[in-house]
Amino acid sequence: MATKLAESERSEPRRRSLESVVIRFAGDSGDGMQLTGTQFTQTTALMGNDIATFPDFPAEIRAPAGTTFGVSAFQINFASYDIMTPGDAPDVLVAMNPAALKVHLKDVPKGGTVLVNTGAFNERNLQKAGYKANPLEDNTLTDHRLIAVDMSKLTLKAVEPLGLNQRDGLRCKNVWALGLMLWMYGRDREPAIKWIKGRFTKEPKIADANIAALNAGHAYGETAEISGSMTAFAVAKAKSVPGVYRAVTGTEAIAWGLVVGAQKAGLKLFLGSYPITPASALLHTLANLKPYGVTTFQAEDEISAVCSAIGASYAGQLGITSSSGPGVALKTEAIGLAFATELPLIVVNNQRGGPSTGLPTKTEQSDLYQSVFGRNADTPLPVVATCTAGDCFYTAIEAVRIASKYMTPVILLTDGYLANAAEPWLIPNVDDIPDFKVTFRTDPEGFHPYLRDEKTLARNWAVPGTPGLMHRIGGIEKDYDTGHISYESDNHHRMTKVRAERVANIANDIPLQTVAHGTERGKLAVVGWGSTFGAINQAVRRSREAGLDVSHIHIRHIFPLPRNLGELLKGYDKVLVPEMNNGQLVTLLRATYLVDCESMTQISGQPYKVTDLEAAIRARVEK
Amino acid sequence: MATKLAESERSEPRRRSLESVVIRFAGDSGDGMQLTGTQFTQTTALMGNDIATFPDFPAEIRAPAGTTFGVSAFQINFASYDIMTPGDAPDVLVAMNPAALKVHLKDVPKGGTVLVNTGAFNERNLQKAGYKANPLEDNTLTDHRLIAVDMSKLTLKAVEPLGLNQRDGLRCKNVWALGLMLWMYGRDREPAIKWIKGRFTKEPKIADANIAALNAGHAYGETAEISGSMTAFAVAKAKSVPGVYRAVTGTEAIAWGLVVGAQKAGLKLFLGSYPITPASALLHTLANLKPYGVTTFQAEDEISAVCSAIGASYAGQLGITSSSGPGVALKTEAIGLAFATELPLIVVNNQRGGPSTGLPTKTEQSDLYQSVFGRNADTPLPVVATCTAGDCFYTAIEAVRIASKYMTPVILLTDGYLANAAEPWLIPNVDDIPDFKVTFRTDPEGFHPYLRDEKTLARNWAVPGTPGLMHRIGGIEKDYDTGHISYESDNHHRMTKVRAERVANIANDIPLQTVAHGTERGKLAVVGWGSTFGAINQAVRRSREAGLDVSHIHIRHIFPLPRNLGELLKGYDKVLVPEMNNGQLVTLLRATYLVDCESMTQISGQPYKVTDLEAAIRARVEK
Amino acid sequence: MNIETPTAKLTPNDYASDQELRWCPGCGDYAIIKGVHKALADLQLPLEKTVFISGIGCAARFPYYMATYGFHTIHGRAPAIATGTKLANPELDVWVVMGDGDCLSIGGNHTLHAIRRNVDLQLLMFNNEIYGLTKGQYSPTSKVGTRSPSTPQGSIDSPVNACVFALGAGGRFVARTVDTNLKHLPEVLKSAHAHKGASFVEILQNCIVYNDGVFNDITDKTVASDRQIMVEHGKPLVFGKDGKKGLRLKPGLFELEVVTVGENGITDKDILVHDQKNKILATMLASMEDAPFPVAMGVLYCNPAEISYEAAVWKQTAEIVAKAGEVDLNKMLRRGNTWTAA
Amino acid sequence: MNIETPTAKLTPNDYASDQELRWCPGCGDYAIIKGVHKALADLQLPLEKTVFISGIGCAARFPYYMATYGFHTIHGRAPAIATGTKLANPELDVWVVMGDGDCLSIGGNHTLHAIRRNVDLQLLMFNNEIYGLTKGQYSPTSKVGTRSPSTPQGSIDSPVNACVFALGAGGRFVARTVDTNLKHLPEVLKSAHAHKGASFVEILQNCIVYNDGVFNDITDKTVASDRQIMVEHGKPLVFGKDGKKGLRLKPGLFELEVVTVGENGITDKDILVHDQKNKILATMLASMEDAPFPVAMGVLYCNPAEISYEAAVWKQTAEIVAKAGEVDLNKMLRRGNTWTAA
Ligand SMILES: Cc1ncc(C[n+]2csc(CCOP(=O)(O)OP(=O)(O)O)c2C)c(N)n1
Ligand SMILES: Cc1ncc(C[n+]2csc(CCOP(=O)(O)OP(=O)(O)O)c2C)c(N)n1
Ligand code: SF4
Ligand code: SF4
Ligand SMILES: [Mg+2]
Ligand SMILES: [Mg+2]
């Protein structure tokens, strides 16, 4: 995204005003880039800019210092207007060492700013990064605005008074860089200082050192500016709907959504999970929400995780299990049991790069096939997908509503990008969210476990402990009319049909498909799902501004699909389906509507760039 | 299938000649109906009739005597012409007790023959079967030819000389019934007697008793005939391609096909499996083929089963794992590893009724979704499906060819019906089957584990133990050019594409889609896969004989589909896709070709009836 | 579906559902369910608070025949599902029924962890040393050399000793009994029920169709008294027709030996007394398999923890809830940094 | 891809691949791989006949750093995959590397059965009592009260003792060592390699990032001699700075106690002598966790079976093949009833 420069009255004197900036912090896994980025984000959010972030780190916990594969990065895009992506390319790259420069320079456009810590540009690091010559000295950076500072030395100097050892002292250099960036974009230091104090309550010395480094970085900017070697900028508040906001990640939003959803259903929440990147964060978050009627259980494996959740649902709680693709694969058989016994269950799949172990810390949306089709026998399940960090909250509630109302497992799809990305979120008033209380069966009169509600076709839910309703359920086929096991052929046909109908009917209980941006018919519809929402929407907006006839359709209910979707798609000459996989939703759409949807794929573990999507659109609607 | 009666010169005097007969043996699980049916089948096959059988038994091992859910049945269709199904309805029902009559009478058409063992029609059994009155005495059977014989008494009388106790004596009554049936249709007793001797070598007394019972049943027929109370029939040999034949079940044919395939590939065969109905039989069969380079390993669970097979493939053998739907579900994650590490692996899925435990002993073809789409990430796998018992042999060889040539897991689909059904099989000469020897990599020059063959795109296979080729593989994404682990984004895109292309290319290495019966274009194509072959083919033949414009297309390669299939389908006005599931292949065809294929479903755990398919065809092409 | 209404006093039959038993005539499971009905009636367990959860197998059909709540789940996963049920509602009395394959083959990991965590479950393993429902393949408890459809020339791998495994997994209640001993079985089940925590009970069960008589050398009337020792806490470890045989520690060694009181100077004092809190003794007793040693029956080990897993979880949660005080979802969403846009 | 060609004599470095180690600086895994290189060099194991198979985790990255054949598989399944590899080619020397979660949490069942079957594998479990690669959740070996991201208020479930579990599973070789003891570790690995059958080795490993110092109370130089006992077959079970402390059996009880030679009448004779063939002793030693007891290091149990699983399988197959004589696929297809149509 090109940075527009312009004198502006809104900005305080001496600060040049920008509408949006993309900064990328990059350094060793050990350099604390994620923390630095997160702090800058928090502060920036508090200052009322719109933000979008993209953390990008290696699969190793702390790969050896100085190596290219050990580089960890955090990108933030903030602006005075409504942005939807972390930005295609950084305006400013903060490179804490040669490896970081090596890996990320290629993404910085001509004229972009590169801030490097010269203190880390020694022989060993240069060679580890694979530099023959020092890029600061040859013409590697001639096309960029280079700001070379020995952050290591300056940091050590700043913390000297506190008498830390060299190692601990150097640990503060990321905070020094944070201080400088805070100055450069006119952000308060207070939130960062508050956070530092909180984080190191037990080590006040470390806290002071970090604060000293922060202030030093900030001060460095001021003096440098006076000397004219650096410019300060201002990015005005974004105009946003009035209300109380916070920064939120997809993981937090899903956790809260599930908790609120459970409360709306009148159920306690049970999470059975087994750690896996990037899904573990949901387990961690819910483990801290026990006061809200939450039980979390770290099982011995994914099978036990989903089974414990099924056992909890059987006992009358809302069973939830969370994992990522490979872990969900292990849950397949048990999900079939939940389907056959018609118990509510939510399976949160936080997708990552595959196949197999694949790229555990990279994002992908390649588990749609598994979600919609990935079970033995005729086992259709509702599938819903989140699209932004904030949307995770509402989609999670929707998953709870469907699971508890229709007595079925529901697959809730999210991905590694959404899980970690942060955005400002208008905090809703929980009381405004309609509830959907579950009523357990208590009346023995005429009861059998597979009695169905005429409308939803959901079976009645009788919980162990209820007098007079003792019964048995299981995975063997059961008689439609008595609930006893039955091998009778017509009955099996009938049961298979009613199970499928029950799920298909949900299409009548979800919103009709709307157009996210653009018109209800036209030359081209770009159809997306999941975390590509922001990039596609941005690309479609820009293309329409450029006069192209293109619209954006975003699908939240993957299965069953909205009733009107087929008609809607037939209203466009062309349908393009960009996915971060090798083409999966496109298969479902073609099979369902016989519409010649075209697949566009990017399987790189990275979010789409808006510009790539714009190009794809132009290629299809121009001429 | 109506029984055509006609005097014929071919038949010996006093036997009325029939072209085809459908007999159903039904009795308690403990009554040995499966053995009786199998023996009648063997003998009938030896006499050169064409045959098709359908065993149908309960999930319980030996449900309590006399109960309807304990009834076990075996149907055989034999004829003097080429038949393809076990027959829609029995001409003769042999009911060993009231429960058997209760369960199966509804399938016997008016005028059909019902042979009952009156000895079992006592109060207790009648009541257990849910008969208020004795059906032999009221008008239940007025529309049928009832042959009521006290087989129990006659059997006891026959074995009396051998001084068995009552219980063991009565055990022989199924053989008595077999004797009578052998007489009625003019079959030799020798094969049965030989089998009895073989089976009871250790208990000569039991052997003699069974032989006595067999002869008694046979003699009963002769005397009854003289008295005119029974008629004997003859069914002439079927004209078939000259050669050596045997009766074969799908399970045997798959086992032999895998063994022959492995030998053609020059690999030893390793089966890692965990018992599950109906897949266990393959483990049992291969466990008896150790002299043919076979190792079988009964693992602790399905995950260990598939993993041990992967470990064996890694070591240079042909790793195979077999299970049924729920068990295959558990293998999903590990199959992803085999896909990511590009190791040959064959996953035999012997489908059964689902979801979950479902109907373990009933047939279904509802795991197509799981086979084609049922994995996390972008993980396309070749899928082939068997269609007849004999075809199992050739499809198994094809699976081995693809797995070993393309270094990929292959899913081999069969089902519970094929696994148990028997048919005559023209035994091939193994030497006539072309081989496809694997060459392991041995040359260190320029080696890395993901070096690919330009044509097949298969990676080279270097087996542990080979000097100079030490290397590491794993589930993490690897670099296209070095094989080392790589998190690089473009590389992941490239690897995902090449993995998919490798599988897609197989379409160029399989036969073009042909029309199983009928014409290459026309009003209606009935498209099937798997064990519905016989019924669909039969229905299409009859419909064409009746002058309807309909053709049969049978798909063996489910994924990738044959190159010309799309064009072929577009040549028909309508396409009907009957499946023993809720509509799965139809989804794949619609998505791939955007052809408006219509789904026809039967999810009853029973094979299709030819007449039902004929009706469906007529409804679509008439008027 | 039959609606049972709790009567004043429940008889064993009140614990039977209206479903016809579908096991093979003569199957040991018939005896076991009788024993279970008796134990539950002795304890007068309320039908609606009792849950039977099973995996898949002949044994696992058990819940259908109980008038309590029941869940027939999937192969090997019953302990995991039961853990979720017990965690969700500790009020429920949860019994888990598994076959040897269900429990120790595919289910081994869940059995291990249910035991390790000490979830308050009664884990009943019906050990017929065979896979019944799938028609007779050998199982992890089958003796070496077992000929079965999957091992036509005889099995090769050494079996696992279920009770030794349970002890190794950290089990705090481990017991063994026999299907047909309808005096002993209900008593063992009652002890298992009394133990708060994971109670592992191995029940030797005869599969008349696929493994008939596999336990004859222990259970046959003619040999039972010599090949079984009924252990009781605080009682001497004696057995044999006349109760003269006993177990003692080989002097100076960690080995048991069979001795006869009255022979070469052995007196009652030499005989070991059973201490159900001693894990090492339990391990030795559980390990006894081959003659001249008897197979140990009864409660081999019972050493309750202070608190069972699910109880501890609820206790911790209660503390956290108390600490948190009044909670409100709107507050939850507003914790941490927030800002207001006007 | 680097092509190593076996040289006359292999040095420890020859066993290292050309890949840069990616563990955190200071991770115990660095020490372990050193020890493994040394053990393999001491044994001069040919690179091409040696295979390292691992699951998923920090520990499981191990194969990438070995110059042998290597297979980095999926979480928990390494023992199952290794079983297939060893069965397919018994010539290969197969080492399995697992973390504590890999081996005992998700992989518990496969570990159990690989041990029970006695497949000739070296099963190495790197026990850092934490899930490293997923950023520090507690594991089945974590002590009660472990605070981790998934147990912010402390873990509740009692951990499994890996060596006791292995013994309960029927393990015939069970040993324990420490990452940083580079004298001891290679020797233990060599003993494991010498044992034909499943050899289970627990290696205490420090995770400097998520569980730093969890073993300090055993491994710290100041306490090591008092908190570790190095067991050796046939040698007295003594420990302590001056080797005066020892283990003895509490008179008349099945319990060990720590005694000091020279104090209240204790002499060398009272001290137990280690017998690595005695499973009960091994169980007692493996169970020692808390002071005053030392943690037992070395080969706790080594009691080889006559034959390992894969060897027995090949032996049985060879017999069957010999019995079958000349085989021919055409004959196979024609066994049993056939008939000819002209
Ligand atoms: C996932 C899965 N794998 C395999 C099976 C097939 N199966 C059903 S029961 C069983 C084992 C039965 O043996 P056991 O557990 O000892 O119970 P028993 O029948 O002997 O009582 C097996 C392998 C299944 N139903 N599901
Ligand atoms: C099927 C599956 N489940 C979960 C994970 C996530 N995962 C990777 S390693 C690991 C555990 C790591 O702990 P441990 O096995 O002790 O090894 P360590 O990292 O401590 O060496 C987990 C849960 C996975 N990769 N695959
Ligand atoms: S097969 Fe065996 S275990 Fe199963 S019901 Fe029959 S006798 Fe019982
Ligand atoms: S996280 Fe722990 S175990 Fe993993 S590499 Fe780092 S220090 Fe080692
Ligand atoms: Mg069993
Ligand atoms: Mg660990």
Side-chain angles (χ1 to χ4, degrees), chain C residues 99-101 126-132 139 205:
Chain C
D100 44 316
F126 298 6
N127 187 8
N128 53 14
E129 296 189 358
I130 209 80
Y131 289 173
S139 97
Q205 173 241 335

Side-chain angles (χ1 to χ4, degrees), chain A residues 357-442:
Chain A
T357 305
L359 300 167
T361 59
K362 308 289 179 195
T363 194
E364 199 162 279
Q365 49 182 185
S366 54
D367 295 347
L368 184 141
Y369 276 168
Q370 171 172 266
S371 306
V372 175
F373 300 113
R375 287 162 295 279
N376 58 299
D378 293 302
T379 315
L381 293 184
V383 180
V384 292
T386 62
C387 63
T388 66
D391 171 73
C392 285
F393 179 78
Y394 298 100
T395 303
I397 293 174
E398 175 69 348
V400 177
R401 183 186 72 87
I402 294 173
S404 54
K405 180 171 177 183
Y406 292 89
M407 295 291 283
T408 178
V410 172
I411 302 211
L412 173 57
L413 285 172
T414 182
D415 65 37
Y417 166 67
L418 285 179
N420 302 321
E423 67 172 29
W425 184 52
L426 174 59
I427 308 173
N429 179 342
V430 172
D431 311 331
D432 300 344
I433 300 168
D435 72 1
F436 36 83
K437 291 264 173 298
V438 164
T439 46
F440 292 123
R441 172 87 182 204
T442 55

Side-chain angles (χ1 to χ4, degrees), chain D residues 2-18:
Chain D
N2 58 319
I3 310 298
E4 305 85 348
T5 39
T7 62
K9 178 125 170 57
L10 291 158
T11 69
N13 284 342
D14 294 329
Y15 290 90
S17 78
D18 62 349

